[in-house]
Amino acid sequence: MAGKVFFSVSMSLDGFIAPESAADLMGRQWMELQQWVFPQRFFRENLKLGRGGEEGRDNDIVRQTFERTGASVMGKRMFDAGEQMWPPEPPFHTPVFVVTHTKRDPWERPGGTTFHFVNDGIESALEQARVAAGGRDVRIAGGGATILQYVNAGLVDEFSIALAPVLFGSGIRLFEGVDASRVALEQVRSEPSPRVTHLTYAVRPR
């Protein structure tokens, strides 16, 4: 049986998931947005940042998100930014399908991550990811425009937001341009932690 298609992001209180410019991805606002995840033990171990780190519900959520994911899909903008920032062993450890118009051979990295470049649309990328996931879930990793395409196409089953007490004021909004006439949500969970509130929703056709 095919797994779910989901996305999981950190979001500011005013609805932004990233700065407008990729050059600001490691800037102050983005670091504040992601500060809940950096101390987590699983995150640190997965990125080879050293031993130790926090354990608790935040750490469990990071680990569970990783464990449920059999393959990921991302857009070209996210890949281009990540290619500059990811370590030689990227943190996915699964196949990743990049939606792009650029033709490129698969890029195999240490640790089990291979990037595949898909030139014929989001549906094709998802179909390939489902096969590669082998029954596990497929994560739409981002960025915001790619997530929105999958939501508007009715291809997302569930999503989780780590809502951070941070204000951006501008940047990339998660739901900017969403086709609200086609999308209905059902709340699955709401879990506060010391740094963020974790919100999970099932997506239904309206």
Side-chain angles (χ1 to χ4, degrees):
M1 182 179 295
K4 292 181 178 179
V5 178
F6 79 103
F7 67 86
S8 178
V9 296
S10 299
M11 187 175 78
S12 70
L13 200 58
D14 52 346
F16 297 96
I17 61 171
E20 188 67 44
S21 171
D24 295 328
L25 276 177
M26 296 301 287
R28 177 183 58 82
Q29 282 184 312
W30 189 85
M31 296 294 284
E32 289 178 354
L33 180 66
Q34 303 293 347
Q35 67 178 346
W36 73 274
V37 75
F38 293 133
Q40 304 310 317
R41 182 184 185 97
F42 185 86
F43 178 85
R44 290 180 54 78
E45 291 178 351
N46 191 35
L47 268 76
K48 305 292 192 294
L49 299 177
R51 295 184 177 275
E54 296 180 6
E55 298 188 38
R57 187 60 185 139
D58 284 342
N59 187 64
D60 291 343
I61 287 172
V62 175
R63 176 176 48 78
Q64 289 163 6
T65 300
F66 176 86
E67 290 175 346
R68 70 183 285 191
T69 302
S72 295
V73 175
M74 70 177 59
K76 181 66 160 50
R77 182 177 187 269
M78 180 177 179
F79 173 79
D80 286 346
E83 189 174 16
Q84 305 300 317
M85 296 188 299
W86 291 318
E89 184 175 317
F92 302 99
H93 308 293
T94 64
V96 178
F97 296 85
V98 181
V99 181
T100 178
H101 296 296
T102 302
K103 293 187 180 297
R104 179 171 169 178
D105 291 334
W107 187 38
E108 186 174 350
R109 307 300 294 148
T113 300
T114 299
F115 295 95
H116 303 270
F117 300 89
V118 182
N119 306 127
D120 52 349
I122 63 171
E123 291 87 356
S124 176
L126 179 57
E127 182 180 351
Q128 294 178 57
R130 283 189 185 278
V131 172
R136 293 164 69 194
D137 294 343
V138 173
R139 181 179 184 181
I140 310 302
T146 301
I147 288 172
L148 188 66
Q149 288 184 68
Y150 279 98
V151 171
N152 284 342
L155 297 173
V156 173
D157 300 308
E158 182 180 285
F159 66 86
S160 295
I161 292 171
L163 187 63
V166 177
L167 297 174
F168 265 41
S170 64
I172 296 174
R173 286 189 184 275
L174 177 58
F175 293 115
E176 187 74 40
V178 69
D179 187 354
S181 67
R182 298 186 59 191
V183 179
L185 304 179
E186 175 187 336
Q187 184 160 299
V188 177
R189 280 186 304 278
S190 175
E191 300 182 66
S193 79
R195 291 189 177 92
V196 293
T197 299
H198 298 280
L199 304 171
T200 301
Y201 298 92
V203 183
R204 307 279 186 251
R206 187 182 292 277

